[in-house]
Amino acid sequence: MCNLCDIKNHAAANNAHAGRRSFLKAAGTLPLWAGAIGSASFLPSALAADVTPKPENILMPDAALARLLAGNKRFVEGDVIKNPSFKNIPVGLRYGQNPYACILSCADSRVGPELCFDEGQGDLFVARLAGNYVNTDMLASLEYGALMLKSPLIMVLGHTECGAISAAIKAEKDNVDFPGHIQVIASKLDQAVRLAKLEGGKRTTEVAKENVRLNVVELRQSTPILRKLVDAGQLKIAGGLYDLETGKVSLVV
Ligand SMILES: [Zn+2]
């Protein structure tokens, strides 16, 4: 019996675990990750993601955030080093993934997480929806990324000039409802609209920041998975704002 993923006679999995343990010992990160792997052992083995095609993606939470911001700095300065092409997938990535960060991003077509963080295939686990807020489906994806794929970082990524935020401001200001399901977005963002103090031209940006803060808090407190990982120091949940004009991501929280 594999003591990590509950698979009987799973020699291949045990070899993979042994390889990971060796790497972690070398990296000096065994104590935290040993806990993370152990916490996954109660889950169905069919969901276990015991593949480590990118050893360089096994990072402590603070190192993961530093790598994300360093990639954004390269992007802003036009000094990118990663290949944005997703063609010709490397052999290791065909059978699994171990992204070092999960991103909860707006669906806006002008924002590209892999591009703005100068990362490649297999590095980021990206969940997107207009307004970058947490709902059940987004939470499920992020729990999967953090627990099963063992990503040590989640970033909620808002952006300037966000149409979803503008719609939410308009809905509150003019007391209007949008057609179809669009109003769901405005309603979800209403709390951020009401909390944001700043009026005038920068109100959209201020509400976007408030929305990032609210969703970071919601993720940090969500149970049963994320809060446990955060409390154990195995997961960091941060919030950033992408500036459409400069491409720079600034930490909000
Ligand atoms: Zn947006």
Side-chain angles (χ1 to χ4, degrees):
M1 170 80 75
C2 169
N3 63 355
L4 296 179
C5 66
D6 297 338
I7 299 174
K8 290 180 181 175
N9 302 319
H10 195 168
N14 272 324
N15 288 338
H17 299 323
R20 175 178 294 175
R21 283 193 293 271
S22 299
F23 176 84
L24 291 171
K25 280 180 181 175
T29 57
L30 183 58
L32 286 178
W33 276 94
I37 293 168
S39 68
S41 63
F42 65 90
L43 287 157
S45 56
L47 286 174
D50 291 313
V51 180
T52 310
K54 295 192 125 181
E56 70 273 23
N57 283 1
I58 300 178
L59 296 168
M60 298 296 282
D62 285 342
L65 180 59
R67 174 172 160 183
L68 208 57
L69 296 178
N72 178 247
K73 187 170 185 288
R74 293 194 303 273
F75 172 73
V76 171
E77 295 175 353
D79 193 24
V80 296
I81 60 174
K82 295 294 182 73
N83 181 0
S85 172
F86 275 46
K87 284 183 68 179
N88 302 321
I89 186 169
V91 173
L93 282 174
R94 288 180 197 168
Y95 307 107
Q97 57 176 320
N98 65 313
Y100 77 90
C102 302
I103 312 291
L104 175 57
S105 165
C106 183
D108 194 296
S109 62
R110 300 164 295 177
V111 181
E114 280 88 357
L115 296 172
C116 80
F117 291 118
D118 188 27
E119 288 296 0
Q121 198 169 25
D123 293 323
L124 303 179
F125 190 76
V126 183
R128 304 188 69 162
L129 84 172
N132 49 271
Y133 59 83
V134 179
N135 63 12
T136 304
D137 297 317
M138 292 295 115
L139 182 56
S141 289
L142 295 172
E143 286 182 346
Y144 181 82
L147 184 68
M148 308 308 294
L149 303 181
K150 302 178 177 59
S151 291
L153 174 67
I154 294 174
M155 174 175 276
V156 178
L157 184 63
H159 67 98
T160 59
E161 308 301 330
C162 179
I165 297 290
S166 297
I169 293 171
K170 182 174 177 55
E172 193 268 344
K173 181 168 176 277
D174 299 338
N175 196 26
V176 297
D177 279 351
F178 291 93
H181 292 80
I182 302 171
Q183 182 58 30
V184 172
I185 301 172
S187 298
K188 182 67 185 181
L189 301 177
D190 184 62
Q191 187 183 1
V193 174
R194 293 175 189 278
L195 284 173
K197 301 286 190 294
L198 205 60
E199 296 291 343
K202 292 188 175 178
R203 180 157 175 77
T204 306
T205 299
E206 195 62 21
V207 175
K209 287 182 182 176
E210 194 60 55
N211 181 49
V212 168
R213 288 189 198 100
L214 286 171
N215 283 284
V216 166
V217 169
E218 186 168 343
L219 288 174
R220 285 175 178 170
Q221 295 178 345
S222 73
T223 56
I225 291 175
L226 298 187
R227 183 172 180 172
K228 196 172 175 182
L229 290 171
V230 169
D231 288 348
Q234 295 163 1
L235 174 69
K236 188 182 191 80
I237 302 178
L241 191 77
Y242 176 84
D243 187 316
L244 279 187
E245 284 190 32
T246 65
K248 180 176 172 56
V249 174
S250 301
L251 283 181
V252 174
V253 59

